[in-house]
Amino acid sequence: MQVKNIILYNHKGEHRELAFKLNALNIITGKSRTGKSAIISIIDYCMGRSTFNVFDGVNKDVISWYAVTYQFNNKQIFIAKKPPKNGKSSNSEACIHIGEKIGIPSQVQLHVNTNDDGVRSQIEKELNLKDNLIFRTESGEDAYKANLKHTKSFIFQEQGEIANKKSLFHRQDEPFMDQSIKDTFPFFLGAMSNERLYKTNLLKEKKQQLRKHESHLKQLREVISGSNEKAVQLLNEASNFGLVDQELISSELEFTKCINLLNQCAIWTPKEIQTQSRDELYLLQSNLSDLEKEQVQYKEKITQTRLFEKHHSSHTDSIIEHKARLKPIGLFDSTKGASCPICGNEDPNDSLRYNQINNSLLQVTEQLREITQSSPKLQKYLGDLSSKENEIHVKIEDHQVKIKTLIESRKENKVIQDRNAYISRILGRISLFLESVKETEPDSKLLSEIDNLKHEINLLQEELNSESVRDKLLSALNVVGSYMGQYAKTLDLEYAEFPYRLDISKLTVFADNPQGGIPMHRQGSGENWLGCHVITFMALHKYFSEQKSPVPSFLVLDQPSQVHFPDLLSYKKLEGNIGEYSDIDMQEVANLFLLFYNYCETSEHGFQIIVTEHANLSEEWFQSSIVEAPWRGNNALIPYEWLA
């Protein structure tokens, strides 16, 4: 895997390509603040890193898409990502195109069709990084595999890393990164094959299962150690509910008899509960309410009728009395008109009064006759009302009895339910106790599984003898160390006469002399620290390529020659100009870049180095390695006209 190009798109749809040569040294030189240090961040961002580390300012304002084309053996993968929006510092959305040969897509062809997980998954597939060991966790929680992120420790060296005396690898000083580099190093060096990684992981799983089973067995045996006392306690609780006769229980009862009694308790079945419709009580109560309302209505009718009867009786008495007062009119002879029954005299005025009184008597007599006729009907109506009210009263009493019975029944069911529930809890504890006793028998399944796990672990440990891994790892590091020594002599480092070695447990470089190993941070001077970094990465990548390790075949270095200048200000003043630098030994700078050039030219499997620099050498091989005219004036990563 190498970098074919970097492509920037602006908001107008224009693009700018920064092309790189494959299997060769690529140099970008120029002045400060032209975008050289953004190269690593852009490549990293388009390799599936969500965090956007490209410096702010015109990048976010001008650029609409960042894109990188990665070259594999017979395939190209184009990945484009937008800068984060709305002040955010990360973006995981991406556009990916895959093909044998991919040109430069127009901006209208760019659309989000994947995310960083998909980008990493695709690249890891091409690098054969999909299947490997699950290592210990970086955060102490989730396991992880060697992945694309871990390979970046070997392919990037930023300006602050390239000559750092304390940190050798990219992002080594970030939390958990140093440990993940240590964990995955044997895999990338080929000391642990995928099959071996699988078996190592399987061994860890078997050991975890064994610890779990042994802990379970210990707990069960602790339970059994006081099992007789526990069994008697359970029997006493069971006897409180009649599950076992109390007379059969004593503290001296043998354990086997306790188990037999507990097994008898375990066959208990709950008392059947009479099922009732949930709506039955509601229906009865509803009907009772209706009946009570109806009874009230009839009682009101009876009351009103009796009031009417009382009024009717009072009216009858009044009419009878009135009739009695009018009865003397019968002394007159109706055939003689109004003549006096005593003297026989007849007065015309008396005749008129006679007729009026006689008519009143007739009316009263008629009213009395009508009242007398209606009285039996009134009595019958009143009787019907009383009879109906009595029927309703009987129904009300019947409903009240049924409701009371139903409520009492439900109370009994609740008592039974509570009793059954409590007994069920006791039986649950009895069942757990019996299972615990059963599990600890000599022929139990648990003991058998423990024996099998121990046997499997012994076999795996024999196959995965750590000495063989250590031997392979030591052999790999010895080879890497020999390569480091060769490159140290090419660069004429201060300790080049002594062997160099990479210590992966401390992630640093040692130069071994007769007085002992000198760690990188004690070797003194920026040239030595830079040299340790350079020879380590050259040696590692040479070994990676020979072992066909799944590490990308490129290296990006940001401003490595800075340590050869008196100060950073002098270095930055170079601005990519070719010239004589009287205050430094340019031969050391030339040796450094010549090492890069020859490394790429002689690599059997192909290798690419990308270097950003301020220095510019006149040597033909150096000039042929410059990918563009020096970045100064209007030349920069972002075209000058895009900023106008």
Side-chain angles (χ1 to χ4, degrees), residues 287-301:
N287 290 340
L288 176 61
S289 178
D290 292 340
L291 288 171
E292 288 175 340
K293 290 179 182 178
E294 189 176 2
Q295 185 186 40
V296 169
Q297 292 174 355
Y298 273 97
K299 285 184 175 180
E300 288 179 353
K301 288 181 180 180

Side-chain angles (χ1 to χ4, degrees), residues 294-437:
E294 189 176 2
Q295 185 186 40
V296 169
Q297 292 174 355
Y298 273 97
K299 285 184 175 180
E300 288 179 353
K301 288 181 180 180
I302 291 172
T303 300
Q304 293 297 327
T305 303
R306 285 177 174 167
L307 288 174
F308 176 77
E309 180 187 30
K310 182 178 180 182
H311 176 73
H312 182 274
S313 176
S314 175
H315 183 58
T316 302
D317 292 342
S318 177
I319 292 176
I320 292 173
E321 182 180 352
H322 186 44
K323 181 180 179 181
R325 288 197 301 269
L326 296 175
K327 194 173 182 181
I329 196 64
L331 296 175
F332 291 89
D333 187 353
S334 59
T335 58
K336 294 180 179 181
S339 59
C340 177
I342 300 175
C343 64
N345 293 329
E346 181 176 354
D347 188 346
N349 294 328
D350 293 336
S351 178
L352 178 61
R353 288 194 293 273
Y354 167 79
N355 289 332
Q356 290 176 344
I357 294 173
N358 192 48
N359 288 334
S360 296
L361 179 60
L362 291 174
Q363 291 176 0
V364 169
T365 302
E366 181 61 26
Q367 290 178 359
L368 188 60
R369 184 185 64 79
E370 291 176 356
I371 291 174
T372 304
Q373 290 178 348
S374 64
S375 182
K377 294 180 180 179
L378 184 62
Q379 291 298 323
K380 183 178 182 302
Y381 176 69
L382 187 61
D384 291 341
L385 290 176
S386 298
S387 177
K388 188 64 176 178
E389 189 272 335
N390 187 59
E391 291 178 5
I392 294 173
H393 181 73
V394 172
K395 290 181 180 180
I396 288 174
E397 289 182 340
D398 180 59
H399 274 65
Q400 289 174 337
V401 171
K402 289 181 178 179
I403 289 171
K404 182 178 180 181
T405 302
L406 188 58
I407 292 175
E408 292 297 328
S409 175
R410 291 193 176 185
K411 288 181 179 179
E412 292 177 3
N413 286 346
K414 182 64 168 58
V415 172
I416 295 173
Q417 286 177 338
D418 292 344
R419 182 176 184 274
N420 290 347
Y422 194 86
I423 293 175
S424 296
R425 287 195 292 270
I426 294 175
L427 293 181
R429 288 156 56 199
I430 290 174
S431 177
L432 177 62
F433 177 79
L434 293 175
E435 287 295 326
S436 300
V437 172

Side-chain angles (χ1 to χ4, degrees), residues 138-149:
E138 294 183 15
S139 62
E141 296 176 0
D142 299 323
Y144 69 97
K145 296 182 179 181
N147 54 52
L148 182 63
K149 178 182 67 176

